[in-house]
Each structure stands twice: as structure tokens, then as C-alpha cells.
Amino acid sequence: MAKRIADKELTDRNWDQEDEGEEAGTFSIASEDVLKNRAIKKAKRRNPGAEGDGGAAFRGFKGFSAAPSAIPAPFSGFGKAGSFEGFGLTNGGSKALYTGVSSATVGLTFNGPYVPPTADITTRQTNGSSPSPTQSNKEYRRQLTALNCSVRDWITKHVNDNPLCDLNPIFRDYERHLSSIEQQHGGGEAADGGSETPPPSAALFSFSRTTSEDLAQKVSGTAPVASGITFNFGQKTSLFGAPGPAALPPFGGTKPDEAADENGDEESEEPPKPEVKEVKEDDAFYSKKCKLFYKKEAEFKEKGVGTLHLKNTSDGKIQMIIRADTNLGNILLNIIVQHSMPCSRVGKNNVMVVCVPNPPVHDKNPSGPVPLLIRVKTDEDADELHKLLEERKG
Amino acid sequence: METSTDYDELGTRLHQFKNKGRNATEQTRRRKEFHVKLRKAKKDDQILERRHVQTLQEEPTSSPQVSGLLPQQYPLQEILAGVNSENREDQFLATQAVRKILSRDNQPPIDRIISAGLIQKFVSFLGLFECPPIQFEAAWVLTNIASGNPAQMNAVVVGGGIPGFIRLASSSYLKIREQAIWALGSIAGDGPDCRDLVIKHGGHGFVVALVESPDLSTFPLAFIRNITWTLSNLCRHTDRPPPLEAVKRMLPALVRLLHHNDKEVLSGACWAVSYLTSGSNERIEVVVQTGLVPRLVQLLSCGEHSILAPALRSLGNIVTGTNEQTQCVLNAGALAVFPALLCHRKSNIQKEAAWAVSNITSGKATQIQEVIDAGLIPLLVQILQQADYKTQLEAVWAVINLTKVGTLNQVSYLYRCNVLGPLFNLLTVKDDTIILIILEAISNILQMAESVGEGEKVCLMIEKLGDLEKIEALQFHSNESVYKYSNTIIDRFFSGQNEDEFGIPEANPDHCVFHAPDNQSTFQF
């Protein structure tokens, strides 16, 4: 038990004195000698190219090889300008990763023909500009469609699993979401909906008995048109979903005991499981979870984990899309598979292709071809993917 | 007024003594002189009666009646002669003269009185129950001396002042008992040695008897306040607390005073409780056993800062005790008052409240639940975002304790209250310990999330908040432990090793080995 007694005695003689304000101050940096011997690690970013909401303080922070003057407060205590020169902190990847930080917009800007609907919704919300009535209506229809399809699918699934389940919570959730959509987009309303601090994927609604929102949803693709919109129903077993928009009060003071208990699911007897779904793009004929690497200089660098989809295009080619398995759902790769594209089976469970990557992976040479390594779970999966690509690339 | 009765009586008694062994003329002269002076003295004292007893030392020196009693009229020799005479009247006059001299504001000649060897005499006068006026004046003189510097107080103590004052408990004159209480409070407040000496002589019994007397409510308010003040001084000096037996004796009286309605009395009583609870769990237990905790909680809402501060400190002390002692405070409904306290305009109160919460969240999960149910977590998060730094530190402790003791649901609730962002913002502070604690709290949250397969979400949130840079930056911290810890956290949660079923990326994937997780049937996220 870690009880801490009072730091100073309080008496009728000193109680009314204001404490000398203790300052928070800033921590001190180790000396260069010490730093030389330290192994400094880089944290893996799950969203390369995406900027965090709170990243404002570190905007323009180009990594530790920058001159200290470029480093914003509170790191102004970093010391003399010379101390970080030649600090070989670049693992090669750091600079590339940090360029994402300085991009101006939160969210996803893509060049190229394909503009995923999530980006649409995102930029609309973060721009804070009022959508025009036509756009709004379109959005309203899209959202409503997505909502109805989601509820249809959810009910189907759960009633199939357990015909005795109580659907009332679902209808309550439906009501809530419907009014939310109507507020945001219904009747051509100009107001830009959304919460004060919308995460870029605010288009994803989540339903929860506990009102805890789980924004880390994979794109379910049940909505026919807007693949970026997902509605989830029922008790969320997610305890660590994204926090609510405001600190006060969270969820009307809901007690966590009313939240997902370990086994407290009314709808089903199963213990809570995290979301496990294969992502379905509606018109993809092949989807598989994978990890994407790209070659830079002598080594392969990770681009991200996501789901690879193969789709038919109108002109008979196939399109390969790899979408990240994050709440942002950003695109890791989006290319048309050309006939000439080299495609080989590598190692136990990899397929390697060479193409001009979209989105680009190199600042310096965005239009040059790059070897990409696609790693899947098993060797059979790799065989299958390789075969498909070879057969269908034309 | 009591005084006039007292003095008339006193006058009569003095008469009786005076007449022993004197001739008639002499008696007449002395009688007249005495009455003149007594009338003057009485008038002076009537002026003083109207003031609070604690201002007994002050005296208008410009009053014409008093001028006759200044040193010019009574040089030291005369005083000595008067004090040493057998004549009660002379003794009285001399003592009173000294009292008035010492009551001057500017530089009372205390040391002269001491060096003249007068203390012993005055102490003996305290025992003259047949002559209360002398007792009263002597008590006043000694009080004035004891209110001087430590050496002067010591002279009174060494001269037997303490038992002398304590004996005045049996005086039938309220004013005399009040004077004695005041003197004893002054002596006890000087330090643990004097305090324990007063206790040893039974001074605390004197005080307790007054509080427990059925006449308490008839006492003048000033007297009750004095009693409270003396009692609190008998509890003071927590570095060397008073003997436990004495504490047990004083507690019931304290409880009685806690139910009084005067602000000063309540404040003094709460201070006493705050001193008594600032000790070992055994001492806390003795206090809690009296059942005064609910009254303390009641007093939290009284709106008087002078009462709130010691009441809150008392409760804060109690929750540093055992889980059971902490539970007493919770059972009394304290937490219901905490939302107001955590947002109080005085940062000291916020800090004390946050400190108390930090000790409650270090107890049991059920107690954490009570903190949650009282709606306190969002307020802690608010404090972490914006508050006096010292208050923020307490909130940090409250958070980390929760992550250590709390259940999965409780920790996830904490997370959903947006605690991470403000916690991360505090990672720049100078204090190494705080940084390590915050890192530990963050690590605990991540581990909890991981244990239910939701570590990715939390990692993502941290990334989204832009806080990965903060952890990375800590690797440059001058403190080796901070470097190691931040390094470990990156390694453990942000290097993809544990969460990625695709294995560690290899430079040359042709030769990689697939590190398959044990369970390949479901994807773990």
C-alpha cells in the first residue's frame, strides 16, 4: 500500500500562507558524453504520414539532427547549438517519417485518381467549412444508407446467432445515430456537424451500451456506396476505445462496472473478443491481411499493416489497394497492376512486386519504381496472391 | 459583573488579615489608603474586563489613575518590600504594581523582575486561596513573564509555575481559572518539552474538566475559545506527539468542542484533531474510534476556510492510515464534498483534496470505485490539464495509484476520461521522480489494454495525440532511469515486436524467418 503522508505540517500559524509556488520547470538533458553511449530508439508509427491531433507543439520538428533553434519549446533547454551535430540519430527512416508531421492538413491528401470517401468526409470536417446543400444531401443519403445496411446486417447476424436476443438496445442506438445524421446532414443544414475535436475518422460511428466509442474500426464495407462508413451496434467489448470528446463528465458518469464486464454481454454468452473481421471491399475479389514494405537503399522499410484488396477495373485491369488497419484507414498502396509489373515469390510468405508506388514512398523520386514486399500470413496465402497477380495482370 | 462581587469579597477578606497585630490608628490609615487604591485598581480592571482575555497584557498607560503606580511610585525596593511582607494587602499591591509595569507595551522589564528573584514569590502567591486577588495578580504577572522569550518562559517553568497554575483549577473564580488556562496554553505551545511537562503535572486534566463541566455553556465565549486554544496546544508538535494516554483523555473533550457552534472554537478543535491524526496508524485509530469522522466531514461544508483547512487536513491524515480507517472517511460521505474541493478557488485546498484522493486510490479497488462514482476522475484530469503545479503532482499520484490498484474496468475508465493527453503534457517537468511515475502510469495503462488485446488502440491514441515524440525525447534525459524507462516503453509498445504477427522486419526478407504467434486462428489486435 503506497500511502503518502503530508509533506509539511499544517498548523494554525502557517495555514493561511500561500505556498511559494513550486515551478514545474523543464527537465535537463544528459551531457553529450552520456548521450554518445546511449542507444536511442525510434517509436514505430502506425500511421506514417498522419499527424496526431496534439502534434501542434512538434510541428516542424524534424528529428534530433535539426539545429536546436528549430525545436520548439519546451525543448529549448536542449543546450548549445553544437551539441547535436552529427548525432547519427537517423535510422534512415526518421526523416521520412517526420515529413508527415509537417504536412499542413490533418487527414489524407492523395494525388491520383482515387479519392476515398473517408478523405472527403475528413477534409470536410476538419476544414470547418459548411458543406453546400447538395453535398450535404448526398452525404445524408450516403450516411443513412450506411446506417440502414449496418443495422440490417447486425440484426441478421445476431438473430441468426441467437434468435432470443433483445434488440431494444439496437433500436435505441439506431435512433441516436439517425438523429445525429439528421443533425449533421439532414435537410441541407449548413452547420458542419461533428464534435469539437473530431478525429479524422469521425465518420465512423460506434454503438455501445456503455457509450464508449470505439473508433478503431475496420472498414466493414457493408454500406454499398460509402466504404468508409461503418456502424457498429451492440455492446462494445472495447474498453480502450477512443476517449470521449470532453473530459467532463465522461459518459454522464457511467460507472465502469456498467461498462463491459469481462462476461457481461447480455446479447451473447461469449466472452468479449476484440474485433475480428476480414475486411470486405464490396467489389474486391480477393482480400488478405498483409504487411507492406518498401525498399529504401539497402533495406526494406515497413509501410504498414493492412488489408490488400484486388479489384477489377472497368477496363479489364486489376487494381491493388492496400488499406491500413487503423481507424484512419489510410491507403498504403493503390495501383493498377500493369502487365509489365515484375511479381515474384520470395521467401516463405512474401510476394515482391516492383512498381511506381502510389502514394509515393520517396520524397526525392516519386515517379521512380520501387520494389515493394508484401508479406502475408502463410506460404499458401503468398502462393495464392502471387498466382492471382500473375494470372490477372493481363 | 462578577468582578465587582469578587472585589468586594476580596476587600472584606483582606480586611480580616490586615487587622492582625496592628494598632488602631495605623489600621485606620492603612484601611483608607487601601480602599482608595482598591477603588482605583477596581476601576482600572473594569476597563480591562471588557476586553478579550488575551489582551490582558495591554493596558492604557495614559489613564491618570494608573500613573500613580508606575515605577517612579514603586521602585524595585518597595516592590520587594511589599512582596516580602507578611501583610496581604502589601503583597497584593506590590504584585499588582508589577503586573501593571509588565503590562506596558514597550519593553517590560521582565528580566529585572526575574533577576530580583521574584518568580518564586509569585508562584507561591498562586497558592493563596484565601486571597484570590493576589492569586489573580500573580497569575497575570507570571503569564506576562512566560510570554516573553524562551529563557523567560523557562524561568517560570523552573520556578514551578506549571503546578502552580494547575492548582488554580480549583479556584471558584472563573477569571482566575481562565488566567491559568491561558498561561498553561501559552507554556504548552512553546514546544513538546513544555507541553509534556504540563501534561505530566496533569494540566490536560484541568482543561478536560472544564470542557466536561456541565457549566460549559454558561462560560463566556472568550473563555471557551481560550480553553480550545490551550487544548490544541496540548496536542501540537506532531514531530514528538503527546503521550498516548493523555491523548485518549483529551479526545472526548475535543469531540465535545467539535460540536460547538462558534467558528473559532471549531477551528481550534479541528486544528487539534489535525495534529492528533498526523501520526502513526495507532494514533489515527484512537481518533477514529471516537466517532468524530462524520462531524469532520460535516465541517468540510461549513464554508469557513479557517475550519475547512484543518478539517480537510485531518481527513487527509486519516486516509494515510489503514484501509479500514480510510473506509471510515468514505463511509461518512466525504467524497460527496470533493467535487467542490477539487475545484476550490484556493489552490492549497485543491492540493490537499487531491492528496487525499491519491491516498484513497492507493487503497482498494472498491475504494477506487467510490472515487469514480463520486465523479472525481474528470476533475483530476482537469487538474492535470490546468492547476497549480503542486496540485497537479497530487493528481499524478492519484492517477498512478489507480493504475496500480484498479481493476481493468477502472483503468480503462480512467483512460476513457482522457487522462493520457494531460499526463503526457507533464512529461517535461524538472522533477525526475514525477517523470518516472508518469511513465509508469502510462506503461500500466498500456499493459492493461494489451491484456485484453486493445494495446494497439492505446498506442494509436498516443500517436494521434502527438505524444510519441515526448517519450522519444525522454531518452535524452539526464537521469539514467528516465532514459531506460522511456527506452523500454518504446521497445515494448512501439516497436511492433509483440503485436505484430508478421514478425520483425528483416533487411533481407529472403532469409527471414516467420515468427508465428501461438494461436493462428484469430488475428489479435
Side-chain angles (χ1 to χ4, degrees), chain B residues 49-217:
Chain B
E49 280 310 301
R50 283 184 227 118
R51 297 189 194 172
H52 188 281
V53 67
Q54 279 171 331
T55 62
L56 277 172
Q57 290 193 71
E58 298 157 22
E59 187 169 52
T61 49
S62 55
S63 157
Q65 285 91 347
V66 174
S67 61
L69 300 167
L70 286 174
Q72 296 93 321
Q73 296 280 56
Y74 282 85
L76 193 56
Q77 291 311 313
E78 285 240 13
I79 290 173
L80 278 169
V83 162
N84 286 316
S85 85
E86 291 294 317
N87 183 298
R88 289 285 181 244
E89 178 200 342
D90 293 335
Q91 287 172 332
F92 167 78
L93 289 170
T95 309
Q96 190 182 62
V98 174
R99 180 264 286 177
K100 293 192 186 219
I101 293 167
L102 293 184
S103 299
R104 293 192 314 216
D105 283 327
N106 46 336
Q107 295 173 331
I110 295 180
D111 289 326
R112 282 186 63 204
I113 303 297
I114 295 176
S115 53
L118 284 168
I119 288 198
Q120 213 71 56
K121 220 47 201 180
F122 293 132
V123 169
S124 70
F125 285 176
L126 291 178
L128 295 178
F129 280 88
E130 71 276 19
C131 190
I134 297 184
Q135 281 182 315
F136 181 64
E137 293 291 346
W140 195 338
V141 163
L142 290 169
T143 307
N144 284 0
I145 297 175
S147 306
N149 61 44
Q152 291 161 348
M153 156 143 348
N154 197 46
V156 173
V157 171
V158 162
I162 293 177
F165 281 117
I166 292 175
R167 248 181 281 130
L168 289 177
S170 41
S171 168
S172 43
Y173 296 94
L174 205 74
K175 285 243 76 66
I176 291 179
R177 282 180 281 161
E178 187 176 14
Q179 187 65 52
I181 287 290
W182 200 81
L184 289 169
S186 193
I187 294 171
D190 187 60
D193 291 322
C194 285
R195 174 201 70 201
D196 289 345
L197 211 45
V198 170
I199 288 175
K200 192 164 144 206
H201 286 285
H204 60 307
F206 179 9
V207 181
V208 166
L210 281 170
V211 177
E212 291 178 347
S213 115
D215 301 326
L216 180 69
S217 49

Side-chain angles (χ1 to χ4, degrees), chain A residues 42 44 52-53 291 346, chain B residues 463-464 472 494 499-500 510:
Chain A
K42 278 284 318 132
K44 170 190 104 161
D53 284 334
K291 190 166 187 180
V346 171
Chain B
E463 189 178 326
K464 234 162 63 89
E472 285 169 336
F494 296 98
E499 297 174 316
D500 189 343
D510 291 354

Side-chain angles (χ1 to χ4, degrees), chain B residues 132-436:
Chain B
I134 297 184
Q135 281 182 315
F136 181 64
E137 293 291 346
W140 195 338
V141 163
L142 290 169
T143 307
N144 284 0
I145 297 175
S147 306
N149 61 44
Q152 291 161 348
M153 156 143 348
N154 197 46
V156 173
V157 171
V158 162
I162 293 177
F165 281 117
I166 292 175
R167 248 181 281 130
L168 289 177
S170 41
S171 168
S172 43
Y173 296 94
L174 205 74
K175 285 243 76 66
I176 291 179
R177 282 180 281 161
E178 187 176 14
Q179 187 65 52
I181 287 290
W182 200 81
L184 289 169
S186 193
I187 294 171
D190 187 60
D193 291 322
C194 285
R195 174 201 70 201
D196 289 345
L197 211 45
V198 170
I199 288 175
K200 192 164 144 206
H201 286 285
H204 60 307
F206 179 9
V207 181
V208 166
L210 281 170
V211 177
E212 291 178 347
S213 115
D215 301 326
L216 180 69
S217 49
T218 67
F219 292 165
L221 186 57
F223 187 18
I224 304 178
R225 288 175 176 171
N226 236 326
I227 293 169
T228 311
W229 176 72
T230 296
L231 193 56
S232 80
N233 277 357
L234 287 170
C235 301
R236 195 190 285 266
H237 305 294
T238 59
D239 46 337
R240 282 171 46 198
L244 196 55
E245 282 313 306
V247 170
K248 288 181 183 171
R249 182 101 188 271
M250 291 191 280
L251 271 169
L254 253 189
V255 174
R256 190 157 181 207
L257 291 171
L258 265 183
H259 283 86
H260 201 272
N261 51 25
D262 176 65
K263 285 188 298 205
E264 279 188 44
V265 171
L266 287 173
S267 175
C270 285
W271 281 116
V273 175
S274 78
Y275 306 147
L276 293 181
T277 51
S278 154
S280 66
N281 290 353
E282 186 192 22
R283 288 190 175 256
I284 292 175
E285 187 61 24
V286 164
V287 174
V288 168
Q289 287 293 331
T290 64
L292 58 66
V293 171
R295 177 59 175 162
L296 280 179
V297 172
Q298 228 180 14
L299 290 172
L300 282 184
S301 315
C302 72
E304 271 298 321
H305 195 186
S306 61
I307 300 174
L308 173 58
L312 180 54
R313 173 51 76 106
S314 302
L315 292 168
N317 284 341
I318 294 174
V319 300
T320 69
T322 64
N323 284 337
E324 290 72 26
Q325 290 163 348
T326 303
Q327 194 59 44
C328 260
V329 172
L330 300 180
N331 290 347
L335 290 183
V337 190
F338 271 68
L341 298 176
L342 289 172
C343 302
H344 202 272
R345 57 189 171 79
K346 285 255 180 188
S347 64
N348 277 349
I349 296 294
Q350 279 192 24
K351 181 188 77 167
E352 296 268 313
W355 166 63
V357 174
S358 78
N359 278 324
I360 298 172
T361 60
S362 77
K364 295 166 26 167
T366 53
Q367 295 174 333
I368 291 177
Q369 193 58 42
E370 294 195 54
V371 169
I372 289 174
D373 293 346
L376 301 188
I377 304 298
L379 298 174
L380 285 178
V381 172
Q382 249 182 358
I383 286 173
L384 287 173
Q385 276 164 340
Q386 171 75 32
D388 182 66
Y389 176 59
K390 281 188 164 171
T391 307
Q392 290 180 317
L393 292 186
E394 299 301 336
V396 167
W397 281 104
V399 165
I400 192 201
N401 289 342
L402 196 158
T403 67
K404 281 179 159 168
V405 177
T407 64
L408 175 62
N409 279 336
Q410 291 168 342
V411 175
S412 66
Y413 169 75
L414 173 70
Y415 168 77
R416 293 198 308 276
C417 287
N418 293 304
V419 75
L420 275 189
L423 262 189
F424 269 101
N425 283 340
L426 287 169
L427 276 178
T428 54
V429 301
K430 208 164 39 182
D431 187 341
D432 304 347
T433 314
I434 295 302
I435 292 188
L436 285 169

